[in-house]
Amino acid sequence: MKKNYGAVEILNRGIIYIVFILISFFVFYPLVYTVSAAFSPGNGIASLNIVPFKDGVTLKHFIYVFTKTQYWVWFRNTLVISLWTALLTVIIASLSAYVFSRFRFVFKKPLMVSLLILQIFPSFVGMIAIYVILLRIGGLDTLWGLVLVYVAGNIPYNTWMVKSYMDTVSQNLDEAARIDGASHFRIYSTIILPITKPIITFLGISSFTGPWMDFIFPKMVLRTPAKQTLALGLFAFVSDKKNEFTNFAAGALVIAVPFVIFFLFTQKAMIQSMGSGAVKE
């Protein structure tokens, strides 16, 4: 019986290992294939070998992306849009969340419900209205117009999320600071923000990564090549008029490396901030 049980256990482990190996292959193969395409001597996707790195290694696609295109202009535009979107989203969402969490006023519940209702509808439903508004205020083909679109879309859900976290912070801290003569803004900046650092860190990271490779709204708002983002610039390599998949892969790989490094550093900061304690109700 013991021998049979041991054989069954070995068989089960073998099946599990095989299943995980197959899953890992299907998950990692597209990534490895893209990396190999960035270094492949070919140009189009049809010229690539199905076996990664079998055709050799070259750096000509990276040289082409850096010297023959406006890659660094796209990178700068994307970085500016992402940074301003993250900064404004954190400021506006945290301030509005503090107001909804700590104050009582008329139409408070209807306003919160309206924010929730706005988040239900997909973003592309209002694309015509967004286009008309940007046209009226001169925001088309501008980076600040795209930042305005992202920030406006981030406010409803993020206000709810940060407000729910602030509700868990004890209001005894507010009362103690108010007795000492602290203003509402001082309470918000010196007490509430440090305590809610975990959710604020998450909000900043998610608000930064959202616009980084977004394609739909930049395609609608931006027009001139000097205002394009990374998503628009790289998409031009694999459009109907071009079939430069290897150049596309090289540009995408260059984006991915610093982005992964950024995520690793911010993830560590977020985990550390999760360990910070506070008095909660």
Side-chain angles (χ1 to χ4, degrees):
M1 292 294 293
K2 291 183 178 180
K3 292 183 179 180
N4 292 336
Y5 178 77
V8 171
E9 185 178 359
I10 293 174
L11 180 62
N12 291 336
R13 287 186 178 182
I15 295 174
I16 292 174
Y17 287 150
I18 292 174
V19 171
F20 276 111
I21 290 173
L22 291 175
I23 294 175
S24 301
F25 174 80
F26 284 109
V27 170
F28 287 107
Y29 179 78
L31 300 177
V32 176
Y33 187 78
T34 303
V35 173
S36 67
F39 294 95
S40 176
N43 191 31
I45 191 172
S47 62
L48 299 178
N49 198 300
I50 193 172
V51 180
F53 299 103
K54 187 176 181 180
D55 295 331
V57 176
T58 181
L59 297 177
K60 69 174 185 178
H61 304 301
F62 295 93
I63 297 174
Y64 174 83
V65 168
F66 292 150
T67 60
K68 303 297 183 180
T69 67
Q70 294 181 302
Y71 184 85
W72 295 116
V73 175
W74 306 336
F75 189 92
R76 181 199 63 194
N77 294 339
T78 307
L79 183 62
V80 169
I81 293 170
S82 299
L83 287 176
W84 275 107
T85 300
L87 178 63
L88 294 177
T89 300
V90 167
I91 294 174
I92 298 175
S94 61
L95 279 172
S96 58
Y98 176 74
V99 172
F100 281 113
S101 177
R102 290 300 194 259
F103 292 92
R104 294 182 180 180
F105 50 89
V106 182
F107 301 123
K108 177 181 176 179
K109 289 185 177 180
L111 286 174
M112 291 297 297
V113 173
S114 64
L115 291 177
L116 186 62
I117 293 175
L118 286 174
Q119 196 62 33
I120 295 176
F121 296 98
S123 57
F124 61 83
V125 172
M127 290 186 69
I128 297 178
I130 292 173
Y131 182 87
V132 173
I133 292 174
L134 291 179
L135 180 64
R136 297 280 178 87
I137 65 177
L140 286 178
D141 199 25
T142 61
L143 300 184
W144 67 263
L146 190 57
V147 171
L148 184 64
V149 172
Y150 286 134
V151 173
N154 288 342
I155 295 305
Y157 173 75
N158 291 320
T159 298
W160 263 93
M161 181 178 64
V162 179
K163 187 258 182 188
S164 300
Y165 194 95
M166 288 184 178
D167 287 342
T168 65
V169 179
S170 175
Q171 296 193 15
N172 295 331
L173 299 175
D174 302 37
E175 296 174 0
R178 199 172 294 112
I179 292 174
D180 292 337
S183 62
H184 289 295
F185 182 78
R186 186 173 179 81
I187 294 173
Y188 158 79
S189 59
T190 61
I191 297 177
I192 301 299
L193 281 185
I195 293 176
T196 57
K197 184 180 178 181
I199 196 66
I200 296 299
T201 304
F202 173 78
L203 176 59
I205 294 173
S206 60
S207 301
F208 179 87
T209 57
W212 188 260
M213 287 304 294
D214 182 43
F215 177 81
I216 297 178
F217 285 109
K219 184 67 174 177
M220 180 187 72
V221 176
L222 305 178
R223 292 289 183 270
T224 57
K227 299 295 178 62
Q228 287 186 338
T229 60
L230 285 169
L232 295 179
L234 293 180
F235 181 76
F237 291 141
V238 289
S239 62
D240 295 336
K241 299 179 181 180
K242 291 184 178 181
N243 183 22
E244 302 177 4
F245 179 75
T246 50
N247 292 330
F248 171 84
L253 184 61
V254 174
I255 298 173
V257 172
F259 194 76
V260 169
I261 295 174
F262 166 79
F263 177 77
L264 292 176
F265 277 102
T266 52
Q267 184 185 40
K268 182 179 179 180
M270 186 169 60
I271 292 175
Q272 291 177 348
S273 64
M274 289 290 185
S276 59
V279 179
K280 295 185 180 181
E281 291 180 337

